[in-house]
Amino acid sequence: MSKSDDSTSNCDNPGEDVYAHEVERQWGEASSIRGVDPALLDESAHPDTTYREPAPESAAFSPWLIPFAAILTGPMVAAVLALFADGDPPSMRHFTAIISTGLTAWLINVGMASTTIRGISHGAESALRFGVLVGAGIALWALYTYWMKGRQGLGRPALIRSAILLFVLSAIFWYGHTTAPDWWAWMGR
């Protein structure tokens, strides 16, 4: 029998040596990470390569526009913005809570605008209505941020949309203030 015949016959016997050389044996018995320095596998030795959480997803526009919209254009506009700020549709309970908050503030302000309250000066009534707008804006922002856990990050498209919305909200405010104060009052402003 030749030497090659011996190596094939050794494969048939499980107890005998199947490797032709000692190097072949070392490679065959080695694990996949043998020869790697353990210091390279230590995570604490390389803090720049540790796992980092991915950046938060961007909101559709800045959530800070919610209280700003409540002050400028009324609580119902701010409620609509709170619904769409995340970029994903809200659940039904979030939808109900946000619309209810905006509608309540709107009813209070429209009710105060349509009736005269005796014993309160015009300045005090204006301050009270402004306080309702601020309170509604903060409440809607808090609902979006803490209860809905809406997105807070802003990417470049979100910043552009925020700037456009800021311009539109400001234009609505000045249009209502200068040309149509009755329409402005019916917005809950």
Short mmCIF file of all heavy atoms in Angstrom, two decimals, residues 27-80:
data_model
loop_
_atom_site.label_atom_id
_atom_site.label_comp_id
_atom_site.label_asym_id
_atom_site.label_seq_id
_atom_site.Cartn_x
_atom_site.Cartn_y
_atom_site.Cartn_z
N TRP A 27 -4.68 23.48 12.56
CA TRP A 27 -5.72 24.25 11.90
C TRP A 27 -7.08 23.58 12.03
O TRP A 27 -8.10 24.24 12.19
CB TRP A 27 -5.39 24.45 10.42
CG TRP A 27 -4.47 25.60 10.19
CD1 TRP A 27 -3.13 25.54 10.05
CD2 TRP A 27 -4.84 26.97 10.12
NE1 TRP A 27 -2.62 26.79 9.89
CE2 TRP A 27 -3.65 27.70 9.92
CE3 TRP A 27 -6.03 27.66 10.20
CZ2 TRP A 27 -3.64 29.08 9.80
CZ3 TRP A 27 -6.01 29.03 10.07
CH2 TRP A 27 -4.83 29.73 9.88
N GLY A 28 -7.11 22.28 11.97
CA GLY A 28 -8.37 21.56 12.07
C GLY A 28 -8.98 21.62 13.45
O GLY A 28 -10.19 21.66 13.61
N GLU A 29 -8.16 21.62 14.48
CA GLU A 29 -8.66 21.62 15.85
C GLU A 29 -8.83 23.02 16.42
O GLU A 29 -9.40 23.18 17.49
CB GLU A 29 -7.70 20.81 16.73
CG GLU A 29 -7.70 19.34 16.40
CD GLU A 29 -6.66 18.56 17.20
OE1 GLU A 29 -5.86 19.20 17.92
OE2 GLU A 29 -6.65 17.34 17.10
N ALA A 30 -8.35 24.04 15.74
CA ALA A 30 -8.40 25.41 16.26
C ALA A 30 -9.82 25.96 16.16
O ALA A 30 -10.57 25.63 15.26
CB ALA A 30 -7.46 26.30 15.47
N SER A 31 -10.15 26.80 17.13
CA SER A 31 -11.44 27.48 17.05
C SER A 31 -11.33 28.63 16.05
O SER A 31 -10.24 28.98 15.60
CB SER A 31 -11.85 28.01 18.43
OG SER A 31 -10.94 29.01 18.82
N SER A 32 -12.44 29.26 15.73
CA SER A 32 -12.44 30.29 14.69
C SER A 32 -11.72 31.56 15.12
O SER A 32 -11.31 32.34 14.29
CB SER A 32 -13.86 30.62 14.26
OG SER A 32 -14.56 31.14 15.36
N ILE A 33 -11.56 31.80 16.43
CA ILE A 33 -10.90 33.03 16.86
C ILE A 33 -9.53 32.75 17.48
O ILE A 33 -8.96 33.60 18.13
CB ILE A 33 -11.77 33.81 17.87
CG1 ILE A 33 -12.10 32.99 19.10
CG2 ILE A 33 -13.02 34.30 17.21
CD1 ILE A 33 -12.74 33.78 20.21
N ARG A 34 -8.99 31.57 17.30
CA ARG A 34 -7.69 31.26 17.84
C ARG A 34 -6.63 32.13 17.16
O ARG A 34 -6.67 32.33 15.97
CB ARG A 34 -7.35 29.79 17.61
CG ARG A 34 -6.05 29.40 18.25
CD ARG A 34 -5.86 27.94 18.16
NE ARG A 34 -4.56 27.62 18.73
CZ ARG A 34 -4.03 26.44 18.68
NH1 ARG A 34 -4.67 25.47 18.09
NH2 ARG A 34 -2.86 26.23 19.21
N GLY A 35 -5.75 32.65 17.94
CA GLY A 35 -4.70 33.49 17.43
C GLY A 35 -5.03 34.96 17.50
O GLY A 35 -4.18 35.80 17.26
N VAL A 36 -6.25 35.33 17.87
CA VAL A 36 -6.63 36.72 18.02
C VAL A 36 -6.27 37.17 19.43
O VAL A 36 -6.56 36.48 20.40
CB VAL A 36 -8.14 36.92 17.76
CG1 VAL A 36 -8.55 38.35 18.02
CG2 VAL A 36 -8.49 36.50 16.36
N ASP A 37 -5.63 38.31 19.53
CA ASP A 37 -5.23 38.83 20.82
C ASP A 37 -6.48 39.14 21.65
O ASP A 37 -7.37 39.85 21.18
CB ASP A 37 -4.41 40.10 20.60
CG ASP A 37 -3.85 40.66 21.90
OD1 ASP A 37 -3.87 39.95 22.92
OD2 ASP A 37 -3.38 41.81 21.87
N PRO A 38 -6.59 38.62 22.88
CA PRO A 38 -7.78 38.89 23.70
C PRO A 38 -8.00 40.38 23.97
O PRO A 38 -9.11 40.81 24.20
CB PRO A 38 -7.51 38.14 25.00
CG PRO A 38 -6.50 37.11 24.65
CD PRO A 38 -5.69 37.67 23.53
N ALA A 39 -6.94 41.18 23.94
CA ALA A 39 -7.10 42.62 24.17
C ALA A 39 -7.92 43.27 23.05
O ALA A 39 -8.61 44.26 23.26
CB ALA A 39 -5.74 43.29 24.27
N LEU A 40 -7.85 42.69 21.85
CA LEU A 40 -8.64 43.24 20.74
C LEU A 40 -10.13 42.95 20.91
O LEU A 40 -10.97 43.65 20.39
CB LEU A 40 -8.16 42.67 19.41
CG LEU A 40 -6.76 43.09 18.96
CD1 LEU A 40 -6.38 42.33 17.70
CD2 LEU A 40 -6.72 44.57 18.73
N LEU A 41 -10.44 41.86 21.63
CA LEU A 41 -11.84 41.49 21.82
C LEU A 41 -12.48 42.19 23.02
O LEU A 41 -13.69 42.14 23.19
CB LEU A 41 -11.95 39.98 22.01
CG LEU A 41 -11.49 39.14 20.82
CD1 LEU A 41 -11.56 37.67 21.17
CD2 LEU A 41 -12.34 39.43 19.61
N ASP A 42 -11.69 42.87 23.84
CA ASP A 42 -12.20 43.54 25.04
C ASP A 42 -12.87 44.85 24.64
O ASP A 42 -12.24 45.74 24.07
CB ASP A 42 -11.05 43.79 26.01
CG ASP A 42 -11.52 44.34 27.33
OD1 ASP A 42 -12.74 44.24 27.62
OD2 ASP A 42 -10.68 44.87 28.08
N GLU A 43 -14.18 45.00 24.95
CA GLU A 43 -14.93 46.20 24.59
C GLU A 43 -14.45 47.42 25.34
O GLU A 43 -14.44 48.52 24.81
CB GLU A 43 -16.42 46.00 24.89
CG GLU A 43 -17.20 45.56 23.71
CD GLU A 43 -18.69 45.54 24.02
OE1 GLU A 43 -19.17 46.40 24.76
OE2 GLU A 43 -19.35 44.64 23.51
N SER A 44 -14.08 47.26 26.59
CA SER A 44 -13.69 48.42 27.39
C SER A 44 -12.37 49.01 26.92
O SER A 44 -12.08 50.17 27.21
CB SER A 44 -13.61 48.04 28.87
OG SER A 44 -12.61 47.04 29.05
N ALA A 45 -11.57 48.27 26.21
CA ALA A 45 -10.29 48.79 25.72
C ALA A 45 -10.49 49.73 24.54
O ALA A 45 -9.64 50.55 24.25
CB ALA A 45 -9.38 47.64 25.30
N HIS A 46 -11.62 49.65 23.87
CA HIS A 46 -11.89 50.48 22.70
C HIS A 46 -13.24 51.17 22.85
O HIS A 46 -14.24 50.75 22.30
CB HIS A 46 -11.91 49.61 21.43
CG HIS A 46 -10.67 48.81 21.25
ND1 HIS A 46 -9.49 49.38 20.85
CD2 HIS A 46 -10.41 47.51 21.45
CE1 HIS A 46 -8.56 48.45 20.80
NE2 HIS A 46 -9.09 47.31 21.16
N PRO A 47 -13.30 52.28 23.61
CA PRO A 47 -14.59 52.93 23.85
C PRO A 47 -15.21 53.54 22.59
O PRO A 47 -16.40 53.72 22.51
CB PRO A 47 -14.26 54.03 24.86
CG PRO A 47 -12.81 54.28 24.70
CD PRO A 47 -12.20 52.98 24.25
N ASP A 48 -14.39 53.84 21.58
CA ASP A 48 -14.95 54.44 20.38
C ASP A 48 -15.67 53.44 19.50
O ASP A 48 -16.40 53.82 18.59
CB ASP A 48 -13.85 55.15 19.58
CG ASP A 48 -12.70 54.21 19.23
OD1 ASP A 48 -12.49 53.22 19.96
OD2 ASP A 48 -12.03 54.47 18.21
N THR A 49 -15.48 52.15 19.75
CA THR A 49 -16.14 51.13 18.94
C THR A 49 -17.29 50.46 19.67
O THR A 49 -17.84 49.50 19.18
CB THR A 49 -15.14 50.06 18.50
OG1 THR A 49 -14.58 49.45 19.66
CG2 THR A 49 -14.06 50.65 17.63
N THR A 50 -17.65 50.95 20.86
CA THR A 50 -18.75 50.34 21.58
C THR A 50 -20.07 50.67 20.88
O THR A 50 -20.16 51.61 20.09
CB THR A 50 -18.83 50.84 23.04
OG1 THR A 50 -18.93 52.25 23.02
CG2 THR A 50 -17.60 50.40 23.81
N TYR A 51 -21.08 49.94 21.20
CA TYR A 51 -22.39 50.10 20.57
C TYR A 51 -23.01 51.43 20.99
O TYR A 51 -23.03 51.78 22.15
CB TYR A 51 -23.32 48.95 20.98
CG TYR A 51 -24.72 49.14 20.49
CD1 TYR A 51 -25.04 48.93 19.16
CD2 TYR A 51 -25.73 49.53 21.35
CE1 TYR A 51 -26.31 49.12 18.69
CE2 TYR A 51 -27.02 49.72 20.89
CZ TYR A 51 -27.30 49.50 19.56
OH TYR A 51 -28.57 49.69 19.11
N ARG A 52 -23.49 52.14 20.03
CA ARG A 52 -24.21 53.38 20.29
C ARG A 52 -25.63 53.23 19.80
O ARG A 52 -25.86 52.64 18.75
CB ARG A 52 -23.54 54.55 19.56
CG ARG A 52 -22.19 54.87 20.11
CD ARG A 52 -21.63 56.13 19.44
NE ARG A 52 -20.28 56.31 19.87
CZ ARG A 52 -19.24 56.37 19.06
NH1 ARG A 52 -19.41 56.29 17.77
NH2 ARG A 52 -18.03 56.53 19.54
N GLU A 53 -26.55 53.81 20.55
CA GLU A 53 -27.94 53.77 20.12
C GLU A 53 -28.08 54.61 18.85
O GLU A 53 -27.42 55.63 18.70
CB GLU A 53 -28.85 54.32 21.21
CG GLU A 53 -28.96 53.40 22.39
CD GLU A 53 -30.02 53.88 23.36
OE1 GLU A 53 -30.99 54.53 22.92
OE2 GLU A 53 -29.87 53.61 24.54
N PRO A 54 -28.94 54.18 17.95
CA PRO A 54 -29.13 54.97 16.74
C PRO A 54 -29.74 56.33 17.08
O PRO A 54 -30.42 56.49 18.09
CB PRO A 54 -30.09 54.13 15.90
CG PRO A 54 -30.74 53.20 16.86
CD PRO A 54 -29.78 53.00 17.99
N ALA A 55 -29.50 57.29 16.24
CA ALA A 55 -30.05 58.63 16.45
C ALA A 55 -31.57 58.55 16.41
O ALA A 55 -32.15 57.76 15.66
CB ALA A 55 -29.55 59.57 15.35
N PRO A 56 -32.24 59.35 17.24
CA PRO A 56 -33.71 59.29 17.24
C PRO A 56 -34.27 59.72 15.89
O PRO A 56 -33.69 60.56 15.20
CB PRO A 56 -34.10 60.27 18.34
CG PRO A 56 -32.93 61.16 18.52
CD PRO A 56 -31.72 60.36 18.14
N GLU A 57 -35.39 59.13 15.56
CA GLU A 57 -36.04 59.49 14.29
C GLU A 57 -36.53 60.93 14.34
O GLU A 57 -36.92 61.42 15.39
CB GLU A 57 -37.20 58.55 14.01
CG GLU A 57 -36.76 57.14 13.70
CD GLU A 57 -37.94 56.29 13.27
OE1 GLU A 57 -38.73 56.76 12.43
OE2 GLU A 57 -38.05 55.18 13.78
N SER A 58 -36.52 61.54 13.22
CA SER A 58 -36.89 62.95 13.14
C SER A 58 -38.41 63.11 13.17
O SER A 58 -39.14 62.32 12.59
CB SER A 58 -36.33 63.54 11.85
OG SER A 58 -36.69 64.88 11.73
N ALA A 59 -38.85 64.16 13.85
CA ALA A 59 -40.26 64.51 13.84
C ALA A 59 -40.60 65.15 12.50
O ALA A 59 -39.72 65.50 11.71
CB ALA A 59 -40.56 65.47 14.98
N ALA A 60 -41.87 65.30 12.21
CA ALA A 60 -42.28 65.93 10.96
C ALA A 60 -41.91 67.41 10.96
O ALA A 60 -41.54 67.97 9.93
CB ALA A 60 -43.77 65.75 10.73
N PHE A 61 -42.03 68.05 12.13
CA PHE A 61 -41.61 69.44 12.32
C PHE A 61 -41.38 69.64 13.81
O PHE A 61 -41.65 68.74 14.60
CB PHE A 61 -42.63 70.45 11.76
CG PHE A 61 -44.04 70.18 12.19
CD1 PHE A 61 -44.51 70.63 13.40
CD2 PHE A 61 -44.89 69.45 11.38
CE1 PHE A 61 -45.81 70.37 13.80
CE2 PHE A 61 -46.19 69.18 11.77
CZ PHE A 61 -46.65 69.64 12.98
N SER A 62 -40.87 70.78 14.19
CA SER A 62 -40.50 71.03 15.58
C SER A 62 -41.73 71.00 16.49
O SER A 62 -42.72 71.69 16.24
CB SER A 62 -39.83 72.39 15.70
OG SER A 62 -39.59 72.68 17.06
N PRO A 63 -41.67 70.22 17.58
CA PRO A 63 -42.78 70.21 18.54
C PRO A 63 -42.97 71.55 19.25
O PRO A 63 -44.02 71.81 19.82
CB PRO A 63 -42.40 69.12 19.53
CG PRO A 63 -41.35 68.33 18.89
CD PRO A 63 -40.68 69.20 17.89
N TRP A 64 -41.96 72.41 19.21
CA TRP A 64 -42.09 73.72 19.85
C TRP A 64 -43.04 74.63 19.09
O TRP A 64 -43.44 75.68 19.61
CB TRP A 64 -40.72 74.38 19.99
CG TRP A 64 -39.90 73.69 21.02
CD1 TRP A 64 -38.85 72.85 20.82
CD2 TRP A 64 -40.09 73.75 22.43
NE1 TRP A 64 -38.38 72.38 22.01
CE2 TRP A 64 -39.12 72.92 23.03
CE3 TRP A 64 -41.00 74.41 23.26
CZ2 TRP A 64 -39.03 72.74 24.40
CZ3 TRP A 64 -40.90 74.23 24.63
CH2 TRP A 64 -39.93 73.41 25.18
N LEU A 65 -43.44 74.23 17.90
CA LEU A 65 -44.44 75.02 17.17
C LEU A 65 -45.84 74.84 17.77
O LEU A 65 -46.73 75.65 17.49
CB LEU A 65 -44.45 74.62 15.70
CG LEU A 65 -43.29 75.11 14.85
CD1 LEU A 65 -43.37 74.55 13.44
CD2 LEU A 65 -43.24 76.62 14.83
N ILE A 66 -46.04 73.80 18.56
CA ILE A 66 -47.37 73.55 19.14
C ILE A 66 -47.78 74.69 20.09
O ILE A 66 -48.84 75.29 19.89
CB ILE A 66 -47.41 72.17 19.83
CG1 ILE A 66 -47.18 71.06 18.80
CG2 ILE A 66 -48.72 71.96 20.57
CD1 ILE A 66 -46.93 69.68 19.39
N PRO A 67 -46.98 75.03 21.12
CA PRO A 67 -47.42 76.16 21.96
C PRO A 67 -47.40 77.50 21.20
O PRO A 67 -48.23 78.37 21.46
CB PRO A 67 -46.43 76.16 23.13
CG PRO A 67 -45.33 75.26 22.76
CD PRO A 67 -45.80 74.38 21.67
N PHE A 68 -46.48 77.63 20.27
CA PHE A 68 -46.41 78.85 19.47
C PHE A 68 -47.69 79.00 18.65
O PHE A 68 -48.26 80.09 18.56
CB PHE A 68 -45.18 78.79 18.57
CG PHE A 68 -44.91 80.03 17.81
CD1 PHE A 68 -44.42 81.16 18.43
CD2 PHE A 68 -45.17 80.09 16.45
CE1 PHE A 68 -44.18 82.33 17.73
CE2 PHE A 68 -44.94 81.24 15.73
CZ PHE A 68 -44.44 82.37 16.37
N ALA A 69 -48.16 77.90 18.07
CA ALA A 69 -49.40 77.93 17.28
C ALA A 69 -50.61 78.23 18.15
O ALA A 69 -51.54 78.91 17.72
CB ALA A 69 -49.60 76.62 16.55
N ALA A 70 -50.61 77.73 19.38
CA ALA A 70 -51.73 78.00 20.27
C ALA A 70 -51.83 79.49 20.58
O ALA A 70 -52.92 80.06 20.59
CB ALA A 70 -51.58 77.20 21.57
N ILE A 71 -50.69 80.13 20.77
CA ILE A 71 -50.69 81.55 21.09
C ILE A 71 -51.04 82.39 19.86
O ILE A 71 -51.81 83.34 19.94
CB ILE A 71 -49.33 81.97 21.68
CG1 ILE A 71 -49.15 81.30 23.04
CG2 ILE A 71 -49.21 83.48 21.80
CD1 ILE A 71 -47.74 81.39 23.60
N LEU A 72 -50.51 82.02 18.70
CA LEU A 72 -50.73 82.84 17.50
C LEU A 72 -52.06 82.58 16.82
O LEU A 72 -52.73 83.53 16.40
CB LEU A 72 -49.61 82.60 16.48
CG LEU A 72 -48.27 83.23 16.76
CD1 LEU A 72 -47.33 83.01 15.61
CD2 LEU A 72 -48.41 84.71 17.04
N THR A 73 -52.43 81.33 16.67
CA THR A 73 -53.59 81.03 15.82
C THR A 73 -54.73 80.32 16.54
O THR A 73 -55.74 80.03 15.92
CB THR A 73 -53.17 80.17 14.62
OG1 THR A 73 -52.55 78.99 15.10
CG2 THR A 73 -52.21 80.93 13.73
N GLY A 74 -54.56 80.00 17.79
CA GLY A 74 -55.64 79.39 18.54
C GLY A 74 -55.38 77.94 18.88
O GLY A 74 -54.51 77.28 18.30
N PRO A 75 -56.15 77.42 19.82
CA PRO A 75 -55.90 76.06 20.33
C PRO A 75 -56.25 74.94 19.35
O PRO A 75 -55.63 73.88 19.40
CB PRO A 75 -56.76 75.98 21.58
CG PRO A 75 -57.79 77.04 21.42
CD PRO A 75 -57.19 78.10 20.58
N MET A 76 -57.18 75.16 18.46
CA MET A 76 -57.53 74.09 17.52
C MET A 76 -56.43 73.88 16.48
O MET A 76 -56.14 72.74 16.08
CB MET A 76 -58.88 74.37 16.84
CG MET A 76 -60.06 74.20 17.77
SD MET A 76 -60.12 72.61 18.63
CE MET A 76 -60.46 71.51 17.28
N VAL A 77 -55.82 74.95 16.03
CA VAL A 77 -54.69 74.82 15.10
C VAL A 77 -53.53 74.11 15.79
O VAL A 77 -52.88 73.24 15.22
CB VAL A 77 -54.27 76.20 14.54
CG1 VAL A 77 -53.02 76.09 13.70
CG2 VAL A 77 -55.40 76.82 13.75
N ALA A 78 -53.30 74.47 17.06
CA ALA A 78 -52.24 73.81 17.82
C ALA A 78 -52.54 72.33 18.03
O ALA A 78 -51.64 71.48 18.00
CB ALA A 78 -52.06 74.49 19.17
N ALA A 79 -53.81 72.00 18.22
CA ALA A 79 -54.19 70.59 18.38
C ALA A 79 -53.93 69.81 17.10
O ALA A 79 -53.43 68.67 17.14
CB ALA A 79 -55.66 70.48 18.79
N VAL A 80 -54.24 70.40 15.97
CA VAL A 80 -53.97 69.74 14.69
C VAL A 80 -52.46 69.54 14.50
O VAL A 80 -52.01 68.49 14.05
CB VAL A 80 -54.60 70.53 13.52
CG1 VAL A 80 -54.13 70.02 12.18
CG2 VAL A 80 -56.12 70.47 13.61
#
